[in-house]
Amino acid sequence: MTDHKDSNVPHDDSTARPGDDAAGDDAAWRDFLAAHGDELDSVERSRAARRFERHAQKKEKEALLDVRDLSPDAFAGSSAGGARSGPRDFTGRSWLDVDDVMDQGSDFVAPDPDIPVRASKLVLWIIVVIGVLALAGCVLIPSMSSLLGALGGALTMVGAAGLLMLHKGHTQTRTDEFDDGARV
């Protein structure tokens, strides 16, 4: 490391030898204590110094006896007065209550799961799915390929034709001439 050097004071480094700095510092400190010892003693015996020493000892003892380091508040970071200071503060609630907490003050309305499905469309979709599965089965089971192929093809065509006949075109669902079919 480098020491701070005062470049304003000229130094004569020609007489300096390694190891003399420590001895010189000790000698300089002893000279300072000898010259100012009575002043340092009076400062040490002063009322302010004794008061500071008592205060420091009291704080040290409190730090040793402080059990706050192991209390839940020390880990949760709660502040005085019970006010929370951040989103990760300990609230004492379980994660199982998160839905109730998140729904407080919310005006969210759950969607209506009752989707109107006509039975005829449902049956036709089932027929199409069975037909496609039968066509896949004719590839996987070669011994039954003629039966599964004919049945799968017929079911797929009947189901698809029925769905096409039930489909309402775009022109039948328009509300006006500017309706492009987008629904929100």
Side-chain angles (χ1 to χ4, degrees), residues 81-104:
R84 295 187 321 213
S85 61
R88 294 184 180 177
D89 288 340
F90 179 74
T91 60
R93 292 185 181 250
S94 168
W95 278 103
L96 300 174
D97 299 332
V98 75
D99 289 335
D100 297 333
V101 172
M102 295 300 288
D103 289 341
Q104 291 175 353

Side-chain angles (χ1 to χ4, degrees), residues 4-78:
H4 174 70
K5 297 191 180 200
D6 188 4
S7 60
N8 293 330
V9 178
H11 293 285
D12 183 19
D13 291 337
S14 62
T15 61
R17 286 177 290 184
D20 283 347
D21 288 338
D25 288 343
D26 286 340
W29 181 247
R30 281 193 299 268
D31 290 342
F32 177 79
L33 286 177
H36 301 287
D38 55 342
E39 294 170 9
L40 292 174
D41 287 338
S42 66
V43 169
E44 189 176 351
R45 288 188 309 256
S46 72
R47 181 175 178 226
R50 287 190 308 243
R51 188 171 166 219
F52 177 78
E53 184 64 30
R54 281 193 308 265
H55 182 69
Q57 288 173 355
K58 181 180 175 185
K59 288 295 183 186
E60 187 176 316
K61 188 184 292 185
E62 285 176 3
L64 290 175
L65 297 176
D66 190 13
V67 292
R68 185 190 183 301
D69 291 340
L70 299 177
S71 69
D73 290 341
F75 297 107
S78 65

Side-chain angles (χ1 to χ4, degrees), residues 131-145:
V132 170
L133 289 176
L135 288 173
C138 82
V139 172
L140 298 174
I141 306 171
S143 62
M144 298 182 66
S145 65

Side-chain angles (χ1 to χ4, degrees), residues 124-184:
L124 290 172
W125 273 110
I126 291 172
I127 291 173
V128 168
V129 169
I130 291 173
V132 170
L133 289 176
L135 288 173
C138 82
V139 172
L140 298 174
I141 306 171
S143 62
M144 298 182 66
S145 65
S146 61
L147 176 68
L148 287 177
L151 184 64
L155 288 175
T156 303
M157 290 182 68
V158 168
L163 286 172
L164 283 173
M165 292 192 63
L166 288 178
H167 179 68
K168 293 181 180 177
H170 179 65
T171 57
Q172 294 173 348
T173 58
R174 279 192 198 185
T175 56
D176 61 4
E177 65 271 3
F178 298 110
D179 185 7
D180 61 356
R183 302 285 183 261
V184 179

